[in-house]
Amino acid sequence: MRKLALLPGKFSNTGHILASVGAAVGIANLVLFPARVFHYGGLAFILVFVLFTFILGVPLMIGETALGKHSQRDAVAAYGGIGGRKWGFAGLFGLITCCFILSFYIVVAGWSLYYLYLYLFQYQEITAAVAAALATDAPSVAGVGGLFGKFVSSHYEVLLFSGIFMGATVAIVANTIKQGIEWVSTRFIPLLVLMMLGLILSVPFVAGERVNYANFYFDFPALFAMDSSGRIGIIEALGQSFFSLSLGACSMVTYGTHIDKNTHVVSNAHYIVHSDTLVALLAGLLIIPLFAASGQVGLNPSLVFINLVDTFYSFGEPWGRLIGIGFFALFNLAIVTSTISMLEPAVNYFSKGNDGRRKTYSLLIGTGIFLFSVPAILSFNPESPAFFTDFLGYGDKENGTITMGYFNFILDFFGTFCLLAGAFLLSAFIRGTWTLEKLFEEITVSGYSPGRSIKTLLKVTFLWMIPLLMLLLLGAESLKVLFKLGLID
């Protein structure tokens, strides 16, 4: 295999940690985690989630980062440089997965940017929607739910805001690693945490009795009950610990290529995983008390763009608007640190270590991914062709309309199954091709050598836990798809 030039752009150690935290922190932390905590056992869910992040998240983070550090090139070369061309496909598979995940992620990013725009410049749109809801017998149609539905089905507006967000993502990645991704991550992640803490502390004074922290309950049996959609709490906790860390594609492998060979991978992995967990817990502390009394905690975007908007409005002026600005500002910060991590693997692969080519490939690849997002955007408009709205039978059927088919398919296939397959491939690669002994050598640096405990954890995880847990998650996700398609009751 032809030897490639090493990448001139490198993260500082702090830059790598915060960029990786930014890649992990996103919609899964700020939306899915609070909803799952509320629905599947409360504090019992949190306890199991934290356990899974340790036994699954930390080893996978170590493995992906160490593989990238060993390569010092790109995700495809990371696998191919060790296992030859037959394993290079694993890196290419992860790269493609990142691109398709970004194609639907950028749609939600456009929604988030639009709502920040509403709170900053067009707040009367929200007040008018609520007023219309109070004057009609169909509040969900005329209220903030109707406002959201009208926006997502107006594909030209979504294209505009999603395009702006993609443009910002491209502009960041087009720079060198230090001037682009690291510069953004080292500023946005601390700011995000500070904003979350500010909202957590201020909301009780604004909302008063509507905030009820006593609703953090402990229900261990709820972890093992199946809901009407085929979901089981403990499986959801396992999935949350995996998906929220952006594992299974090649973002973390790629970020690992940008670190120095003397980087303490094990230490960084602990910082990244535990920081991501902390942000998820803060999101739960912010959101769950606002909805626990009414039970309005959805497992979909309605939690953010309908339920939260409605709740913030109930705080009255000016607090409702200020809280809304703060929340959607931090939501956009969380999303942009994730979108840049999904674009970087492809740009890194095609630029081949030439910083001068990053601008060209960032623009070309970003434009291509944005074009792939168009079918997902069109799938929300019930007047679009059935190819988009009910793609392969994935459409949501409600009130005689079918929507979201293509979006749902990309979300399930690339955002779930391909990530799980990627993690399974990584474990097989480490076990059978790179070997655990070589992994131990890679994580050994000056002043640190892995002890018996970390070696045992990595051996048990990569030999047994990851293959079994990935198969378990694949089975559980398959059941949810069958439920969704109406093939099983």
Side-chain angles (χ1 to χ4, degrees), residues 13 40 46 53 60 72 95 128 146 159 163 222-223 246 256 286 315 340 345 348 350 378 404 463 484 486-487:
N13 196 59
Y40 303 115
I46 292 176
T53 60
L60 274 171
Q72 297 284 289
L95 188 151
L159 282 169
L223 288 171
S246 296
L286 170 63
F315 295 164
I340 59 179
N348 180 40
F350 284 103
L378 293 176
M404 297 177 61
L463 291 176
K484 182 178 182 63
L487 298 177

Side-chain angles (χ1 to χ4, degrees), residues 1-2 76-77 79-92 429 433:
M1 193 172 218
R2 185 170 62 89
V76 177
Y79 284 95
I82 297 171
R85 184 171 295 178
K86 66 179 182 181
W87 269 106
F89 84 93
L92 187 61
F429 178 76
T433 302

Side-chain angles (χ1 to χ4, degrees), residues 15 71 79 242 358 367:
S71 167
Y79 284 95
F242 172 74
R358 289 181 64 86
T367 300

Side-chain angles (χ1 to χ4, degrees), residues 57-374:
V58 171
L60 274 171
M61 187 66 68
I62 291 172
E64 291 198 12
T65 306
L67 179 60
K69 182 170 80 79
H70 177 81
S71 167
Q72 297 284 289
R73 299 174 188 174
D74 57 72
V76 177
Y79 284 95
I82 297 171
R85 184 171 295 178
K86 66 179 182 181
W87 269 106
F89 84 93
L92 187 61
F93 177 79
L95 188 151
I96 294 171
T97 299
C98 278
C99 290
F100 272 96
I101 291 175
L102 180 54
S103 75
F104 73 78
Y105 216 92
I106 206 70
V107 178
V108 182
W111 302 347
S112 180
L113 184 61
Y114 172 72
Y115 271 78
L116 179 59
Y117 167 78
L118 283 184
Y119 273 96
L120 286 171
F121 305 111
Q122 296 289 331
Y123 189 62
Q124 66 271 18
E125 294 280 344
I126 295 174
T127 58
V130 176
L134 296 175
T136 182
D137 294 329
S140 62
V141 175
V144 292
L147 177 66
F148 177 66
K150 179 182 177 182
F151 170 66
V152 298
S153 62
S154 175
H155 46 264
Y156 293 112
E157 285 188 292
V158 182
L159 282 169
L160 173 62
F161 283 92
S162 294
I164 293 172
F165 210 107
M166 179 59 88
T169 301
V170 167
I172 294 168
V173 175
N175 279 291
T176 62
I177 293 300
K178 280 190 173 293
Q179 294 175 334
I181 296 175
E182 178 167 334
W183 190 93
V184 167
S185 301
T186 53
R187 286 157 178 81
F188 282 14
I189 296 304
L191 179 60
L192 183 149
V193 173
L194 288 174
M195 291 176 71
M196 290 188 77
L197 290 172
L199 287 172
I200 290 169
L201 293 174
S202 61
V203 163
F205 293 100
V206 174
E209 295 180 355
R210 281 169 291 187
V211 176
N212 189 354
Y213 294 98
N215 284 290
F216 277 99
Y217 63 101
F218 188 97
D219 187 356
F220 193 72
L223 288 171
F224 302 94
M226 181 182 290
D227 66 13
S228 59
S229 300
R231 299 184 180 97
I232 302 174
I234 194 166
I235 303 299
E236 296 297 302
L238 173 60
Q240 182 72 37
S241 68
F242 172 74
F243 294 118
S244 70
L245 288 167
S246 296
L247 298 166
C250 58
S251 294
M252 295 305 178
V253 175
T254 300
Y255 277 5
T257 67
H258 295 312
I259 60 177
D260 188 82
K261 290 291 287 184
N262 292 320
T263 299
H264 193 331
V265 169
V266 175
S267 175
N268 281 18
H270 279 286
Y271 279 122
I272 295 164
V273 172
H274 301 325
S275 296
D276 175 76
T277 303
L278 175 62
V279 172
L281 294 175
L282 290 175
L285 192 59
L286 170 63
I287 293 173
I288 292 173
L290 294 176
F291 296 99
S294 62
Q296 291 179 304
V297 179
L299 287 166
N300 52 53
S302 66
L303 169 63
V304 172
F305 301 103
I306 299 176
N307 299 148
L308 277 179
V309 172
D310 208 6
T311 299
F312 295 156
Y313 178 82
S314 71
F315 295 164
E317 286 272 25
W319 299 112
R321 185 178 187 180
L322 292 175
I323 294 293
I325 291 172
F327 177 81
F328 281 103
L330 75 86
F331 199 53
N332 277 276
L333 292 179
I335 292 177
V336 75
T337 55
S338 294
T339 58
I340 59 179
S341 75
M342 297 173 206
L343 180 59
E344 172 60 21
V347 172
N348 180 40
Y349 171 69
F350 284 103
S351 63
K352 298 298 184 187
N354 187 335
D355 278 350
R357 298 164 69 184
R358 289 181 64 86
K359 289 183 173 62
T360 299
Y361 282 109
S362 294
L363 181 60
L364 290 175
I365 297 168
T367 300
I369 293 173
F370 180 68
L371 292 177
F372 274 107
S373 75
V374 174

